[in-house]
Amino acid sequence: MDDQRAVEPAQAYAHALRDALAGYTAAGGTQRALADALGISSSVLSRYLQGSAIASPRTLNATRDFLDARNIPWSRKVFEELEVLCWEVHATSRSPALRLIALQEELGQLRRRQQQIEEEVLAHKLREAQVQQEARHGQEWQLQQERHSQLLNGARYTARPPLRCWQNGAAVLIGVSAYEEMPAVPSIANNISSLRDAMIKGLGIPDDNVLIVSNPATNTEVHRAIEKASEVSDPESGALLIYFAGHGWTDRGRLMLGLVGSSRSRQWSALDFNSLRIQIADSQIGRRIVILDSCYSGAALDVLGPDDLASAAAIDGTYVLTAANATTAALAPPEEQFTTFTGHLIRALNEGIPQGPSVINAEALYRYVERAARERGLPLPGRQVGGDGDLVQIMPNRWRRQI
């Protein structure tokens, strides 16, 4: 009788699993692609579909994430039925293997809870360290600002027309401030709003050519915005600026950018920068600037991964500016209006660069952000220059002494 009870739920489980994957199969999906994504062999997946083996709840969750990533609809009711049948088979079976799966799942839950507690402790320690660092360098920063004001006493700004390359160009501002599985970064929403104003009022980009991608859930949203920006820019006289702010990390030399539903444990759920690299490199626009304020961590102060994100993002013919170099952290203090890196950028665009060139180019902007970070004892930015990307002009300097 026990064996009979175990067989019936197993067959019902297999039938429900096939129903759950019906949309994927109808869209031309293959068992091999699904098996590879789940980290199992095709033969094991076939056993799941035949009812001769039962997947763990973790595999069911991974399957659901796999379908979400490909925008394939699935039934919540079917997956709930699968979970019930999964545990029913485990409960009615005397198979040591199935009981082991259940125990492993419980152990996995305990480990995830332990990891969450460790991340909370780390967040608290990093928050304390940041407060102490800000206290040490705050007074020094104020003195430096006063010295700048004294040196530039009498300086006045005479408005000058924007550069033609941006009047004929476009910008794409991508900001991910809300996440389902990673900490939110509310200041990123402020970044996007202020940068939009700077793009229009400072650089002179037409309003319709400044494209905002707020909290994208899919790669397609980002790629389409960049495609549209490339189409509205003049390929000969125009310029293109791409900005991204959100969680980021590297995986086997690839730069991964977090979307709303991304998780570091599921690399396929993130936006692989290689795909953006190819799209930007294929653009006919001759002047291109890419700015990455990319951070990742479970802590309150986000960390721009330990690998060299600037190197990972290099594109020939383009100037790439990143929030940190290979060994330091990119900060997003929760009490500040902007993320630290973007705050420096906004200040340079809105107020100008003291003692800077008459026209700010990409390299001058980098030098300003680097100097501001160094004076405050904060992480230094990184950069990569492709071709003559460092000469790309951005806007007239708003802070110039009149002689």
Side-chain angles (χ1 to χ4, degrees):
M1 292 296 293
D2 289 343
D3 291 342
Q4 181 63 29
R5 284 197 300 271
V7 169
E8 292 175 355
Q11 294 304 318
Y13 174 90
H15 180 74
L17 182 58
R18 290 192 294 270
D19 285 347
L21 295 176
Y24 172 70
T25 304
T30 64
Q31 288 190 25
R32 178 179 294 274
L34 176 58
D36 290 344
L38 299 178
I40 60 177
S41 66
S42 298
S43 61
V44 170
L45 178 59
S46 295
R47 294 177 61 196
Y48 292 162
L49 295 171
Q50 295 168 4
S52 58
I54 305 298
S56 67
R58 184 184 306 173
T59 301
L60 292 180
N61 291 336
T63 302
R64 190 162 43 215
D65 293 339
F66 175 85
L67 297 176
D68 279 340
R70 285 153 181 79
N71 296 322
I72 296 175
W74 50 269
S75 168
R76 182 178 299 277
K77 180 179 180 181
V78 171
F79 270 94
E80 289 177 351
E81 179 184 358
L82 278 170
E83 292 178 358
V84 171
L85 289 169
C86 177
W87 290 113
E88 184 176 348
V89 173
H90 289 181
T92 57
S93 174
R94 294 182 177 180
S95 168
L98 291 179
R99 292 186 180 274
L100 177 60
I101 291 176
L103 291 174
Q104 288 175 336
E105 183 65 27
E106 293 178 6
L107 179 60
Q109 293 176 356
L110 291 174
R111 287 176 174 169
R112 286 191 291 273
R113 177 54 183 161
Q114 180 184 8
Q115 182 179 3
Q116 180 182 359
I117 293 174
E118 291 174 351
E119 290 179 349
E120 291 173 355
V121 171
L122 176 61
H124 179 71
K125 290 181 178 179
L126 288 175
R127 191 177 297 113
E128 287 185 344
Q130 176 63 18
V131 170
Q132 294 174 0
Q133 185 184 52
E134 291 290 341
R136 285 196 303 269
H137 298 289
Q139 185 176 7
E140 180 182 353
W141 171 251
Q142 183 177 359
L143 292 174
Q144 291 288 347
Q145 290 296 93
E146 291 176 358
R147 293 192 191 104
H148 281 310
S149 297
Q150 292 171 0
L151 289 172
L152 298 165
N153 185 30
R156 294 182 295 117
Y157 170 68
T158 301
R160 282 166 286 178
L163 303 175
R164 182 166 176 261
C165 65
W166 294 110
Q167 290 179 313
N168 297 333
V172 180
L173 307 179
I174 309 155
V176 190
S177 58
Y179 289 87
E180 295 175 357
E181 299 187 35
M182 291 187 286
V185 190
S187 54
I188 288 179
N190 298 329
N191 291 358
I192 298 298
S193 177
S194 294
L195 281 175
R196 180 183 182 276
D197 290 341
M199 295 297 105
I200 297 171
K201 299 175 183 178
L203 276 68
I205 300 176
D207 193 340
D208 291 342
N209 289 9
V210 179
L211 308 178
I212 306 299
V213 185
S214 180
N215 293 321
T218 65
N219 300 349
T220 302
E221 295 176 57
V222 177
H223 286 296
R224 284 180 175 170
I226 296 176
E227 181 181 40
K228 181 178 179 181
S230 298
E231 291 174 350
V232 299
S233 299
D234 188 304
E236 295 182 3
S237 63
L240 178 65
L241 185 145
I242 309 294
Y243 169 90
F244 175 90
H247 288 299
W249 63 95
T250 56
D251 175 61
R252 292 169 292 183
R254 298 177 302 160
L255 173 57
M256 312 302 293
L257 302 176
L259 304 177
V260 170
S262 294
S263 170
R264 189 167 184 173
S265 62
R266 300 190 305 276
Q267 304 299 343
W268 48 263
S269 66
L271 173 60
D272 188 338
F273 187 81
N274 279 335
S275 62
L276 292 187
R277 183 207 309 272
I278 295 171
Q279 185 179 18
I280 297 171
D282 288 345
S283 170
Q284 300 301 310
I285 312 303
R287 305 172 183 86
R288 297 168 295 192
I289 296 177
V290 178
I291 301 175
L292 301 175
D293 191 351
S294 184
C295 42
Y296 175 83
S297 171
L301 302 179
D302 294 340
V303 178
L304 183 68
D307 300 299
D308 191 346
L309 299 191
S311 295
I315 307 172
D316 186 35
T318 304
Y319 195 94
V320 181
L321 180 61
T322 64
N325 61 30
T327 59
T328 55
L331 305 179
E335 72 278 4
E336 293 191 6
Q337 181 181 6
F338 308 112
T339 61
T340 303
F341 170 74
T342 298
H344 293 319
L345 295 177
I346 292 172
R347 188 173 300 110
L349 297 176
N350 291 343
E351 301 175 9
I353 299 178
Q355 298 177 315
S358 60
V359 177
I360 299 174
N361 60 25
E363 183 67 9
L365 181 62
Y366 164 77
R367 292 296 181 186
Y368 171 82
V369 175
E370 180 190 46
R371 182 172 64 252
R374 192 182 301 278
E375 289 174 348
R376 296 183 64 185
L378 298 176
L380 301 180
R383 77 187 189 284
Q384 277 284 341
V385 183
D388 58 355
D390 57 331
L391 301 179
V392 176
Q393 294 183 327
I394 299 176
M395 64 179 291
N397 191 355
R398 290 188 167 187
W399 197 331
R400 294 290 295 163
R401 178 184 296 278
Q402 300 302 308
I403 300 176

